[in-house]
Amino acid sequence: MKKQKKSLFKLLAVYFLTISLFGCKTKSDIVNEYDSYLFTYFVGNGPGEESIHYALSNDGFNYYALNNNEPIINSKEISTSGGVRDPHILRGQDGKTFYMVVTDLYVPKDGWSNYAMILMKSTDLINWSSTKINVPNTFPKEFGKVHRVWAPQTIYDSQSKKYMVYWSMKTGDEPDKIYYAYANKDFTALETTPKQLFYSPTNSACIDGDIIYNNGKYHLFFKNEDENKKGIMKAVSDKLTEGYVQVDGYMDQTDEAVEGSGIFKIIDSDTYILMYDMYMKGKYQFTKSTDLLNFSVVDDEISMNFHPRHGTVIPITKKETEALIKKWGTINKNVFLSFNSEEIKKNNVIIDDENKTIYIPAKQGTDITNFNPNFKLFSGVTSSPTTPQNFSKESVNYTFTIKNKETKTYQVTVNIDHNPVLDGYYADPEIIFSNKTKKYYLYPTTDGFTNWSGTYFKTFSSTDLVNWNDEGTILDLKKDVKWANRNAWAPTITEKKVNETYKYFYYFTAAQKIGVAVSDNPTGPFVDSGKPLISKKPKGVIGGQEIDPDVFTDPVTNKSYLYWGNGYLACAELNDDMISIKENTIKVMTPDATFREGTEVFYRNGKYYFLWSENDTRSPNYQVRYATSSSPTGKLTIPKNNLILSKNPELGIYGTGHNSVIQILNSDEWYIVYHRFNRPNGINKGDSAGYHREVCIDVLEFNIDNSIKPVKPTLKGIKTEISN
């Protein structure tokens, strides 16, 4: 007995020594190493399009296709039909084995009828073994008449310790139903007869099931196929194979036709991404949630250099990422994830693969004679040189390499560009100079929210109009305003001296109404008046919106006026309290049919200038026109050539509009502050360019006759020695 114990102790000692020397990674170890995401998908219904494709992402939002978006497996070699669709990939419990299941279907030949699925297995994501499973042939008694076998997926059943495959099937005129069966140990066959997994309370047709486990519950996302109830729905159970109860409502956030939902978790976060195929639109929609019930669209954060159909995303390790890039990676702009240099305006970098050039705009004060972009690249891609370079006289050649595969050289140029003047997405800029602090302040719309859905305002300060300091949030609709909690847009502000004390009156748009808040300082805190100042249309006005306020104090009379309107221009004199208007002074002053919104009024050399924006802010042709008057409310005179700010396609500048104007104290030096589409990506964003805008400043000049010279929007912006 003693000898047996000694032998056991020796064996245990050797075991633990082996672990300590060589390691024994579990699935938990792999989870801690997750570095990137693998998106597995197919691309269409046409010849050759029903095949397995790969794409990589470092953040779960921005994806780049591997193998130049060509298939990574020959569909004809693994299928009975010649095509495969709906790839679903799963990492096994051992952390190193991967399971993929696909629909065996080739639409150009067979239409929408099929009989088989394919089970696949790999230990490296590159080499796959495969087995065809013809359901009617395998289960002739129970499912001999099946004519649809669609969208299989796999999940590990911790109770049975087996991999469960689930998919939808259709027999005759019966609705599609979701079934499940267990795979054998080798993942080469189904060892149990399929059983129905989900019982729709309305016997609806259900396809494209996708199960995720969270907080003790299994969440089954699926598409309801009934004609009048189509959309992504969800059922929940505390057991994997039974008891699913359908949740009310739809999980998708669109009225478009959808299918192929897939859900995954962002690494090291509580955020889940639900994506689905908007197959009639040829695009994907991504939504996010932290509770798997309430989802919001995040399409504006997504980028891809391909058009996927019904696929799956899983997290992968750095080692796995490097192996995939070594096998199928190509050097193009998508391998450039970002830059580690804080001096770079990252939203404005231009990578031109065709001409092999990279344009890097740097912030004011950057020493470009000794500068290192610090390229952040996908794992497995390297760059040279790695030391700081002199960009002051000419471009510098950088070589990017995928080891033993590909090398490309790009010419890299670095310039100091002052436009845009703020980091990030902002629009509708208002600007003032504070006599109290002797600083300039910018008050923009906080942009970058889908359909202009921002809910808070910020301000930025500067002493030179070039270097801006973020002063933080000054008004939050959800916290500070009782009468509105959405659509925080287009503010304006004025400084007034009241009883020898400076007061700041901040007029803002919320929920298509105009409010006013007051503070003792240009950076707040601002206190809302408690009710909207403008909440209805002026008499006789039909259409348009009560938005885009502009406040102007006449230097001749010291009276203050508020202007507003989208589709019309209205004006009213403000009372002395600056938080109410003289109702009997409301006047409609719409200059002509070009007026859209964004009024700006200023006074110079005895003339009152009225500037406005033409066209929709989502249009590349959003632009600024002007008129003049002899009074703040007088008849407007429109010059023959009154277009003063418009796009500059040569520089990739579009959507220039909704401006304000600033005069340098005790001078005739003027500047125009406006927004434009993000450069370079805005012009390719469609409608979302209209809420991905940037603030710029350029010189505003006048002719001898006091007419305004057309402004050419620039990248360089203005000189740096401005001060008051």
Side-chain angles (χ1 to χ4, degrees), residues 10 13 19 93 103 121 249 254 264 279 414 419 430 436 461 505 532 563 631 637 650 669 673 708:
K10 284 182 179 180
I19 290 177
Q93 288 302 107
T103 305
K121 188 176 179 181
T254 178
F264 65 95
Y279 58 94
V414 179
N419 283 333
E430 167 76 343
K436 179 178 181 178
S461 65
F505 298 91
Y563 304 85
S631 78
T637 300
E650 291 181 2
E669 193 174 343
V673 189
I708 300 177

mmCIF file with all atom_site columns, all heavy atoms in Angstrom, residues 10 13 19 93 103 121 249 254 264 279 414 419 430 436 461 505 532 563 631 637 650 669 673 708:
data_model
loop_
_atom_site.group_PDB
_atom_site.id
_atom_site.type_symbol
_atom_site.label_atom_id
_atom_site.label_alt_id
_atom_site.label_comp_id
_atom_site.label_asym_id
_atom_site.label_entity_id
_atom_site.label_seq_id
_atom_site.pdbx_PDB_ins_code
_atom_site.Cartn_x
_atom_site.Cartn_y
_atom_site.Cartn_z
_atom_site.occupancy
_atom_site.B_iso_or_equiv
_atom_site.pdbx_formal_charge
_atom_site.auth_seq_id
_atom_site.auth_comp_id
_atom_site.auth_asym_id
_atom_site.auth_atom_id
_atom_site.pdbx_PDB_model_num
ATOM 1   N N   . LYS A 1 10  ? 4.501   10.226 -7.099  1.00 0.00 ? 10  LYS A N   1
ATOM 2   C CA  . LYS A 1 10  ? 5.469   10.481 -8.159  1.00 0.00 ? 10  LYS A CA  1
ATOM 3   C C   . LYS A 1 10  ? 4.774   10.877 -9.453  1.00 0.00 ? 10  LYS A C   1
ATOM 4   O O   . LYS A 1 10  ? 5.192   11.800 -10.153 1.00 0.00 ? 10  LYS A O   1
ATOM 5   C CB  . LYS A 1 10  ? 6.333   9.231  -8.390  1.00 0.00 ? 10  LYS A CB  1
ATOM 6   C CG  . LYS A 1 10  ? 7.391   9.000  -7.327  1.00 0.00 ? 10  LYS A CG  1
ATOM 7   C CD  . LYS A 1 10  ? 8.231   7.788  -7.662  1.00 0.00 ? 10  LYS A CD  1
ATOM 8   C CE  . LYS A 1 10  ? 9.320   7.547  -6.617  1.00 0.00 ? 10  LYS A CE  1
ATOM 9   N NZ  . LYS A 1 10  ? 10.136  6.350  -6.954  1.00 0.00 ? 10  LYS A NZ  1
ATOM 10  N N   . ALA A 1 13  ? 3.463   14.384 -9.151  1.00 0.00 ? 13  ALA A N   1
ATOM 11  C CA  . ALA A 1 13  ? 4.563   15.347 -9.210  1.00 0.00 ? 13  ALA A CA  1
ATOM 12  C C   . ALA A 1 13  ? 5.000   15.576 -10.646 1.00 0.00 ? 13  ALA A C   1
ATOM 13  O O   . ALA A 1 13  ? 5.236   16.705 -11.081 1.00 0.00 ? 13  ALA A O   1
ATOM 14  C CB  . ALA A 1 13  ? 5.741   14.854 -8.360  1.00 0.00 ? 13  ALA A CB  1
ATOM 15  N N   . ILE A 1 19  ? 3.006   20.465 -16.363 1.00 0.00 ? 19  ILE A N   1
ATOM 16  C CA  . ILE A 1 19  ? 2.148   21.630 -16.559 1.00 0.00 ? 19  ILE A CA  1
ATOM 17  C C   . ILE A 1 19  ? 2.942   22.909 -16.372 1.00 0.00 ? 19  ILE A C   1
ATOM 18  O O   . ILE A 1 19  ? 2.852   23.862 -17.152 1.00 0.00 ? 19  ILE A O   1
ATOM 19  C CB  . ILE A 1 19  ? 0.948   21.597 -15.599 1.00 0.00 ? 19  ILE A CB  1
ATOM 20  C CG1 . ILE A 1 19  ? -0.015  20.475 -16.009 1.00 0.00 ? 19  ILE A CG1 1
ATOM 21  C CG2 . ILE A 1 19  ? 0.225   22.940 -15.585 1.00 0.00 ? 19  ILE A CG2 1
ATOM 22  C CD1 . ILE A 1 19  ? -1.183  20.315 -15.077 1.00 0.00 ? 19  ILE A CD1 1
ATOM 23  N N   . GLN A 1 93  ? -14.833 23.376 -26.826 1.00 0.00 ? 93  GLN A N   1
ATOM 24  C CA  . GLN A 1 93  ? -14.579 23.474 -25.396 1.00 0.00 ? 93  GLN A CA  1
ATOM 25  C C   . GLN A 1 93  ? -13.104 23.341 -25.045 1.00 0.00 ? 93  GLN A C   1
ATOM 26  O O   . GLN A 1 93  ? -12.667 23.824 -24.003 1.00 0.00 ? 93  GLN A O   1
ATOM 27  C CB  . GLN A 1 93  ? -15.382 22.401 -24.650 1.00 0.00 ? 93  GLN A CB  1
ATOM 28  C CG  . GLN A 1 93  ? -16.875 22.682 -24.594 1.00 0.00 ? 93  GLN A CG  1
ATOM 29  C CD  . GLN A 1 93  ? -17.184 24.014 -23.939 1.00 0.00 ? 93  GLN A CD  1
ATOM 30  O OE1 . GLN A 1 93  ? -17.552 24.972 -24.602 1.00 0.00 ? 93  GLN A OE1 1
ATOM 31  N NE2 . GLN A 1 93  ? -17.020 24.093 -22.628 1.00 0.00 ? 93  GLN A NE2 1
ATOM 32  N N   . THR A 1 103 ? -24.937 25.557 -44.916 1.00 0.00 ? 103 THR A N   1
ATOM 33  C CA  . THR A 1 103 ? -26.018 25.064 -45.759 1.00 0.00 ? 103 THR A CA  1
ATOM 34  C C   . THR A 1 103 ? -25.440 24.591 -47.082 1.00 0.00 ? 103 THR A C   1
ATOM 35  O O   . THR A 1 103 ? -24.661 25.308 -47.717 1.00 0.00 ? 103 THR A O   1
ATOM 36  C CB  . THR A 1 103 ? -27.045 26.181 -46.035 1.00 0.00 ? 103 THR A CB  1
ATOM 37  O OG1 . THR A 1 103 ? -27.508 26.718 -44.795 1.00 0.00 ? 103 THR A OG1 1
ATOM 38  C CG2 . THR A 1 103 ? -28.213 25.669 -46.845 1.00 0.00 ? 103 THR A CG2 1
ATOM 39  N N   . LYS A 1 121 ? -14.581 20.644 -39.512 1.00 0.00 ? 121 LYS A N   1
ATOM 40  C CA  . LYS A 1 121 ? -13.780 20.653 -38.299 1.00 0.00 ? 121 LYS A CA  1
ATOM 41  C C   . LYS A 1 121 ? -12.355 21.083 -38.636 1.00 0.00 ? 121 LYS A C   1
ATOM 42  O O   . LYS A 1 121 ? -11.816 20.724 -39.679 1.00 0.00 ? 121 LYS A O   1
ATOM 43  C CB  . LYS A 1 121 ? -13.787 19.251 -37.679 1.00 0.00 ? 121 LYS A CB  1
ATOM 44  C CG  . LYS A 1 121 ? -13.148 19.120 -36.308 1.00 0.00 ? 121 LYS A CG  1
ATOM 45  C CD  . LYS A 1 121 ? -13.333 17.687 -35.806 1.00 0.00 ? 121 LYS A CD  1
ATOM 46  C CE  . LYS A 1 121 ? -12.699 17.457 -34.457 1.00 0.00 ? 121 LYS A CE  1
ATOM 47  N NZ  . LYS A 1 121 ? -12.872 16.058 -33.999 1.00 0.00 ? 121 LYS A NZ  1
ATOM 48  N N   . GLY A 1 249 ? -42.327 41.394 -29.406 1.00 0.00 ? 249 GLY A N   1
ATOM 49  C CA  . GLY A 1 249 ? -41.619 42.400 -30.183 1.00 0.00 ? 249 GLY A CA  1
ATOM 50  C C   . GLY A 1 249 ? -40.500 41.835 -31.032 1.00 0.00 ? 249 GLY A C   1
ATOM 51  O O   . GLY A 1 249 ? -40.198 40.638 -31.008 1.00 0.00 ? 249 GLY A O   1
ATOM 52  N N   . THR A 1 254 ? -35.133 47.759 -37.897 1.00 0.00 ? 254 THR A N   1
ATOM 53  C CA  . THR A 1 254 ? -35.380 48.271 -39.240 1.00 0.00 ? 254 THR A CA  1
ATOM 54  C C   . THR A 1 254 ? -36.702 47.735 -39.751 1.00 0.00 ? 254 THR A C   1
ATOM 55  O O   . THR A 1 254 ? -37.181 46.691 -39.286 1.00 0.00 ? 254 THR A O   1
ATOM 56  C CB  . THR A 1 254 ? -34.256 47.869 -40.206 1.00 0.00 ? 254 THR A CB  1
ATOM 57  O OG1 . THR A 1 254 ? -34.551 48.350 -41.522 1.00 0.00 ? 254 THR A OG1 1
ATOM 58  C CG2 . THR A 1 254 ? -34.094 46.358 -40.271 1.00 0.00 ? 254 THR A CG2 1
ATOM 59  N N   . PHE A 1 264 ? -22.824 38.265 -30.999 1.00 0.00 ? 264 PHE A N   1
ATOM 60  C CA  . PHE A 1 264 ? -21.539 37.993 -30.365 1.00 0.00 ? 264 PHE A CA  1
ATOM 61  C C   . PHE A 1 264 ? -21.237 39.085 -29.351 1.00 0.00 ? 264 PHE A C   1
ATOM 62  O O   . PHE A 1 264 ? -21.831 40.163 -29.381 1.00 0.00 ? 264 PHE A O   1
ATOM 63  C CB  . PHE A 1 264 ? -20.414 37.888 -31.403 1.00 0.00 ? 264 PHE A CB  1
ATOM 64  C CG  . PHE A 1 264 ? -20.122 39.161 -32.146 1.00 0.00 ? 264 PHE A CG  1
ATOM 65  C CD1 . PHE A 1 264 ? -19.114 40.016 -31.730 1.00 0.00 ? 264 PHE A CD1 1
ATOM 66  C CD2 . PHE A 1 264 ? -20.847 39.496 -33.282 1.00 0.00 ? 264 PHE A CD2 1
ATOM 67  C CE1 . PHE A 1 264 ? -18.834 41.187 -32.418 1.00 0.00 ? 264 PHE A CE1 1
ATOM 68  C CE2 . PHE A 1 264 ? -20.575 40.667 -33.982 1.00 0.00 ? 264 PHE A CE2 1
ATOM 69  C CZ  . PHE A 1 264 ? -19.565 41.518 -33.543 1.00 0.00 ? 264 PHE A CZ  1
ATOM 70  N N   . TYR A 1 279 ? -31.092 41.619 -46.653 1.00 0.00 ? 279 TYR A N   1
ATOM 71  C CA  . TYR A 1 279 ? -30.770 40.982 -47.923 1.00 0.00 ? 279 TYR A CA  1
ATOM 72  C C   . TYR A 1 279 ? -31.371 41.677 -49.138 1.00 0.00 ? 279 TYR A C   1
ATOM 73  O O   . TYR A 1 279 ? -30.863 41.523 -50.254 1.00 0.00 ? 279 TYR A O   1
ATOM 74  C CB  . TYR A 1 279 ? -31.181 39.511 -47.891 1.00 0.00 ? 279 TYR A CB  1
ATOM 75  C CG  . TYR A 1 279 ? -32.648 39.258 -47.598 1.00 0.00 ? 279 TYR A CG  1
ATOM 76  C CD1 . TYR A 1 279 ? -33.566 39.095 -48.626 1.00 0.00 ? 279 TYR A CD1 1
ATOM 77  C CD2 . TYR A 1 279 ? -33.105 39.162 -46.282 1.00 0.00 ? 279 TYR A CD2 1
ATOM 78  C CE1 . TYR A 1 279 ? -34.899 38.850 -48.355 1.00 0.00 ? 279 TYR A CE1 1
ATOM 79  C CE2 . TYR A 1 279 ? -34.428 38.922 -46.005 1.00 0.00 ? 279 TYR A CE2 1
ATOM 80  C CZ  . TYR A 1 279 ? -35.327 38.775 -47.041 1.00 0.00 ? 279 TYR A CZ  1
ATOM 81  O OH  . TYR A 1 279 ? -36.652 38.551 -46.762 1.00 0.00 ? 279 TYR A OH  1
ATOM 82  N N   . VAL A 1 414 ? 3.304   64.082 -44.260 1.00 0.00 ? 414 VAL A N   1
ATOM 83  C CA  . VAL A 1 414 ? 2.758   64.642 -43.022 1.00 0.00 ? 414 VAL A CA  1
ATOM 84  C C   . VAL A 1 414 ? 2.703   66.161 -43.157 1.00 0.00 ? 414 VAL A C   1
ATOM 85  O O   . VAL A 1 414 ? 3.706   66.795 -43.493 1.00 0.00 ? 414 VAL A O   1
ATOM 86  C CB  . VAL A 1 414 ? 3.610   64.254 -41.801 1.00 0.00 ? 414 VAL A CB  1
ATOM 87  C CG1 . VAL A 1 414 ? 3.035   64.879 -40.533 1.00 0.00 ? 414 VAL A CG1 1
ATOM 88  C CG2 . VAL A 1 414 ? 3.689   62.736 -41.661 1.00 0.00 ? 414 VAL A CG2 1
ATOM 89  N N   . ASN A 1 419 ? -7.499  72.620 -40.058 1.00 0.00 ? 419 ASN A N   1
ATOM 90  C CA  . ASN A 1 419 ? -8.885  72.171 -40.246 1.00 0.00 ? 419 ASN A CA  1
ATOM 91  C C   . ASN A 1 419 ? -8.925  70.653 -40.370 1.00 0.00 ? 419 ASN A C   1
ATOM 92  O O   . ASN A 1 419 ? -8.145  70.072 -41.135 1.00 0.00 ? 419 ASN A O   1
ATOM 93  C CB  . ASN A 1 419 ? -9.482  72.809 -41.499 1.00 0.00 ? 419 ASN A CB  1
ATOM 94  C CG  . ASN A 1 419 ? -9.870  74.246 -41.285 1.00 0.00 ? 419 ASN A CG  1
ATOM 95  O OD1 . ASN A 1 419 ? -10.173 74.658 -40.169 1.00 0.00 ? 419 ASN A OD1 1
ATOM 96  N ND2 . ASN A 1 419 ? -9.869  75.043 -42.348 1.00 0.00 ? 419 ASN A ND2 1
ATOM 97  N N   . GLU A 1 430 ? -21.226 77.683 -33.348 1.00 0.00 ? 430 GLU A N   1
ATOM 98  C CA  . GLU A 1 430 ? -21.404 79.078 -32.937 1.00 0.00 ? 430 GLU A CA  1
ATOM 99  C C   . GLU A 1 430 ? -20.128 79.518 -32.234 1.00 0.00 ? 430 GLU A C   1
ATOM 100 O O   . GLU A 1 430 ? -19.532 78.742 -31.478 1.00 0.00 ? 430 GLU A O   1
ATOM 101 C CB  . GLU A 1 430 ? -22.596 79.205 -31.982 1.00 0.00 ? 430 GLU A CB  1
ATOM 102 C CG  . GLU A 1 430 ? -22.698 80.533 -31.259 1.00 0.00 ? 430 GLU A CG  1
ATOM 103 C CD  . GLU A 1 430 ? -23.213 81.676 -32.141 1.00 0.00 ? 430 GLU A CD  1
ATOM 104 O OE1 . GLU A 1 430 ? -23.190 81.526 -33.387 1.00 0.00 ? 430 GLU A OE1 1
ATOM 105 O OE2 . GLU A 1 430 ? -23.638 82.708 -31.593 1.00 0.00 ? 430 GLU A OE2 1
ATOM 106 N N   . LYS A 1 436 ? -15.130 88.699 -20.642 1.00 0.00 ? 436 LYS A N   1
ATOM 107 C CA  . LYS A 1 436 ? -14.845 88.348 -19.258 1.00 0.00 ? 436 LYS A CA  1
ATOM 108 C C   . LYS A 1 436 ? -13.549 87.555 -19.139 1.00 0.00 ? 436 LYS A C   1
ATOM 109 O O   . LYS A 1 436 ? -12.713 87.828 -18.269 1.00 0.00 ? 436 LYS A O   1
ATOM 110 C CB  . LYS A 1 436 ? -16.006 87.540 -18.675 1.00 0.00 ? 436 LYS A CB  1
ATOM 111 C CG  . LYS A 1 436 ? -15.782 87.100 -17.230 1.00 0.00 ? 436 LYS A CG  1
ATOM 112 C CD  . LYS A 1 436 ? -16.990 86.351 -16.686 1.00 0.00 ? 436 LYS A CD  1
ATOM 113 C CE  . LYS A 1 436 ? -16.756 85.927 -15.232 1.00 0.00 ? 436 LYS A CE  1
ATOM 114 N NZ  . LYS A 1 436 ? -17.932 85.247 -14.660 1.00 0.00 ? 436 LYS A NZ  1
ATOM 115 N N   . SER A 1 461 ? -12.664 76.143 -25.696 1.00 0.00 ? 461 SER A N   1
ATOM 116 C CA  . SER A 1 461 ? -12.076 77.476 -25.544 1.00 0.00 ? 461 SER A CA  1
ATOM 117 C C   . SER A 1 461 ? -10.732 77.564 -26.251 1.00 0.00 ? 461 SER A C   1
ATOM 118 O O   . SER A 1 461 ? -10.036 76.558 -26.433 1.00 0.00 ? 461 SER A O   1
ATOM 119 C CB  . SER A 1 461 ? -11.903 77.820 -24.060 1.00 0.00 ? 461 SER A CB  1
ATOM 120 O OG  . SER A 1 461 ? -10.958 76.957 -23.462 1.00 0.00 ? 461 SER A OG  1
ATOM 121 N N   . PHE A 1 505 ? -26.284 83.990 -22.331 1.00 0.00 ? 505 PHE A N   1
ATOM 122 C CA  . PHE A 1 505 ? -27.602 83.484 -22.696 1.00 0.00 ? 505 PHE A CA  1
ATOM 123 C C   . PHE A 1 505 ? -27.426 82.521 -23.871 1.00 0.00 ? 505 PHE A C   1
ATOM 124 O O   . PHE A 1 505 ? -26.986 82.911 -24.953 1.00 0.00 ? 505 PHE A O   1
ATOM 125 C CB  . PHE A 1 505 ? -28.533 84.635 -23.046 1.00 0.00 ? 505 PHE A CB  1
ATOM 126 C CG  . PHE A 1 505 ? -28.764 85.571 -21.895 1.00 0.00 ? 505 PHE A CG  1
ATOM 127 C CD1 . PHE A 1 505 ? -27.936 86.681 -21.702 1.00 0.00 ? 505 PHE A CD1 1
ATOM 128 C CD2 . PHE A 1 505 ? -29.786 85.336 -20.986 1.00 0.00 ? 505 PHE A CD2 1
ATOM 129 C CE1 . PHE A 1 505 ? -28.131 87.532 -20.630 1.00 0.00 ? 505 PHE A CE1 1
ATOM 130 C CE2 . PHE A 1 505 ? -29.986 86.184 -19.904 1.00 0.00 ? 505 PHE A CE2 1
ATOM 131 C CZ  . PHE A 1 505 ? -29.158 87.278 -19.726 1.00 0.00 ? 505 PHE A CZ  1
ATOM 132 N N   . PRO A 1 532 ? -39.807 75.924 -23.350 1.00 0.00 ? 532 PRO A N   1
ATOM 133 C CA  . PRO A 1 532 ? -39.282 76.354 -24.644 1.00 0.00 ? 532 PRO A CA  1
ATOM 134 C C   . PRO A 1 532 ? -39.585 77.825 -24.906 1.00 0.00 ? 532 PRO A C   1
ATOM 135 O O   . PRO A 1 532 ? -40.654 78.323 -24.544 1.00 0.00 ? 532 PRO A O   1
ATOM 136 C CB  . PRO A 1 532 ? -39.990 75.442 -25.646 1.00 0.00 ? 532 PRO A CB  1
ATOM 137 C CG  . PRO A 1 532 ? -41.217 74.957 -24.945 1.00 0.00 ? 532 PRO A CG  1
ATOM 138 C CD  . PRO A 1 532 ? -40.880 74.913 -23.487 1.00 0.00 ? 532 PRO A CD  1
ATOM 139 N N   . TYR A 1 563 ? -33.228 84.972 -34.262 1.00 0.00 ? 563 TYR A N   1
ATOM 140 C CA  . TYR A 1 563 ? -33.621 84.486 -35.587 1.00 0.00 ? 563 TYR A CA  1
ATOM 141 C C   . TYR A 1 563 ? -33.665 82.957 -35.520 1.00 0.00 ? 563 TYR A C   1
ATOM 142 O O   . TYR A 1 563 ? -32.879 82.327 -34.802 1.00 0.00 ? 563 TYR A O   1
ATOM 143 C CB  . TYR A 1 563 ? -32.602 84.925 -36.635 1.00 0.00 ? 563 TYR A CB  1
ATOM 144 C CG  . TYR A 1 563 ? -32.377 86.425 -36.684 1.00 0.00 ? 563 TYR A CG  1
ATOM 145 C CD1 . TYR A 1 563 ? -31.465 87.031 -35.808 1.00 0.00 ? 563 TYR A CD1 1
ATOM 146 C CD2 . TYR A 1 563 ? -33.071 87.225 -37.577 1.00 0.00 ? 563 TYR A CD2 1
ATOM 147 C CE1 . TYR A 1 563 ? -31.267 88.405 -35.837 1.00 0.00 ? 563 TYR A CE1 1
ATOM 148 C CE2 . TYR A 1 563 ? -32.869 88.604 -37.617 1.00 0.00 ? 563 TYR A CE2 1
ATOM 149 C CZ  . TYR A 1 563 ? -31.965 89.184 -36.739 1.00 0.00 ? 563 TYR A CZ  1
ATOM 150 O OH  . TYR A 1 563 ? -31.770 90.552 -36.767 1.00 0.00 ? 563 TYR A OH  1
ATOM 151 N N   . SER A 1 631 ? -31.187 97.273 -41.675 1.00 0.00 ? 631 SER A N   1
ATOM 152 C CA  . SER A 1 631 ? -31.613 97.124 -40.279 1.00 0.00 ? 631 SER A CA  1
ATOM 153 C C   . SER A 1 631 ? -31.695 95.648 -39.930 1.00 0.00 ? 631 SER A C   1
ATOM 154 O O   . SER A 1 631 ? -31.713 94.795 -40.824 1.00 0.00 ? 631 SER A O   1
ATOM 155 C CB  . SER A 1 631 ? -32.973 97.788 -40.052 1.00 0.00 ? 631 SER A CB  1
ATOM 156 O OG  . SER A 1 631 ? -34.013 96.962 -40.536 1.00 0.00 ? 631 SER A OG  1
ATOM 157 N N   . THR A 1 637 ? -31.605 92.568 -49.195 1.00 0.00 ? 637 THR A N   1
ATOM 158 C CA  . THR A 1 637 ? -31.108 92.751 -50.556 1.00 0.00 ? 637 THR A CA  1
ATOM 159 C C   . THR A 1 637 ? -30.178 91.592 -50.881 1.00 0.00 ? 637 THR A C   1
ATOM 160 O O   . THR A 1 637 ? -29.181 91.364 -50.177 1.00 0.00 ? 637 THR A O   1
ATOM 161 C CB  . THR A 1 637 ? -30.351 94.072 -50.696 1.00 0.00 ? 637 THR A CB  1
ATOM 162 O OG1 . THR A 1 637 ? -31.233 95.146 -50.372 1.00 0.00 ? 637 THR A OG1 1
ATOM 163 C CG2 . THR A 1 637 ? -29.811 94.244 -52.106 1.00 0.00 ? 637 THR A CG2 1
ATOM 164 N N   . GLU A 1 650 ? -11.523 69.363 -55.227 1.00 0.00 ? 650 GLU A N   1
ATOM 165 C CA  . GLU A 1 650 ? -10.096 69.118 -55.435 1.00 0.00 ? 650 GLU A CA  1
ATOM 166 C C   . GLU A 1 650 ? -9.405  68.692 -54.134 1.00 0.00 ? 650 GLU A C   1
ATOM 167 O O   . GLU A 1 650 ? -8.447  67.922 -54.156 1.00 0.00 ? 650 GLU A O   1
ATOM 168 C CB  . GLU A 1 650 ? -9.416  70.371 -55.990 1.00 0.00 ? 650 GLU A CB  1
ATOM 169 C CG  . GLU A 1 650 ? -9.829  70.701 -57.424 1.00 0.00 ? 650 GLU A CG  1
ATOM 170 C CD  . GLU A 1 650 ? -9.121  71.935 -57.938 1.00 0.00 ? 650 GLU A CD  1
ATOM 171 O OE1 . GLU A 1 650 ? -8.291  72.501 -57.190 1.00 0.00 ? 650 GLU A OE1 1
ATOM 172 O OE2 . GLU A 1 650 ? -9.397  72.338 -59.073 1.00 0.00 ? 650 GLU A OE2 1
ATOM 173 N N   . GLU A 1 669 ? -10.694 92.286 -39.188 1.00 0.00 ? 669 GLU A N   1
ATOM 174 C CA  . GLU A 1 669 ? -10.275 90.919 -39.474 1.00 0.00 ? 669 GLU A CA  1
ATOM 175 C C   . GLU A 1 669 ? -11.409 89.984 -39.084 1.00 0.00 ? 669 GLU A C   1
ATOM 176 O O   . GLU A 1 669 ? -11.854 89.972 -37.930 1.00 0.00 ? 669 GLU A O   1
ATOM 177 C CB  . GLU A 1 669 ? -9.004  90.605 -38.671 1.00 0.00 ? 669 GLU A CB  1
ATOM 178 C CG  . GLU A 1 669 ? -8.284  89.343 -39.081 1.00 0.00 ? 669 GLU A CG  1
ATOM 179 C CD  . GLU A 1 669 ? -6.965  89.173 -38.345 1.00 0.00 ? 669 GLU A CD  1
ATOM 180 O OE1 . GLU A 1 669 ? -6.460  90.158 -37.765 1.00 0.00 ? 669 GLU A OE1 1
ATOM 181 O OE2 . GLU A 1 669 ? -6.450  88.044 -38.340 1.00 0.00 ? 669 GLU A OE2 1
ATOM 182 N N   . VAL A 1 673 ? -16.697 80.349 -39.421 1.00 0.00 ? 673 VAL A N   1
ATOM 183 C CA  . VAL A 1 673 ? -16.626 79.047 -38.756 1.00 0.00 ? 673 VAL A CA  1
ATOM 184 C C   . VAL A 1 673 ? -17.781 78.205 -39.292 1.00 0.00 ? 673 VAL A C   1
ATOM 185 O O   . VAL A 1 673 ? -18.932 78.648 -39.254 1.00 0.00 ? 673 VAL A O   1
ATOM 186 C CB  . VAL A 1 673 ? -16.736 79.196 -37.223 1.00 0.00 ? 673 VAL A CB  1
ATOM 187 C CG1 . VAL A 1 673 ? -16.446 77.873 -36.536 1.00 0.00 ? 673 VAL A CG1 1
ATOM 188 C CG2 . VAL A 1 673 ? -15.794 80.285 -36.724 1.00 0.00 ? 673 VAL A CG2 1
ATOM 189 N N   . ILE A 1 708 ? -19.218 90.312 -49.874 1.00 0.00 ? 708 ILE A N   1
ATOM 190 C CA  . ILE A 1 708 ? -18.368 89.251 -49.308 1.00 0.00 ? 708 ILE A CA  1
ATOM 191 C C   . ILE A 1 708 ? -17.678 88.482 -50.427 1.00 0.00 ? 708 ILE A C   1
ATOM 192 O O   . ILE A 1 708 ? -18.319 88.058 -51.400 1.00 0.00 ? 708 ILE A O   1
ATOM 193 C CB  . ILE A 1 708 ? -19.200 88.285 -48.446 1.00 0.00 ? 708 ILE A CB  1
ATOM 194 C CG1 . ILE A 1 708 ? -19.869 89.034 -47.288 1.00 0.00 ? 708 ILE A CG1 1
ATOM 195 C CG2 . ILE A 1 708 ? -18.320 87.165 -47.900 1.00 0.00 ? 708 ILE A CG2 1
ATOM 196 C CD1 . ILE A 1 708 ? -20.762 88.156 -46.431 1.00 0.00 ? 708 ILE A CD1 1
#
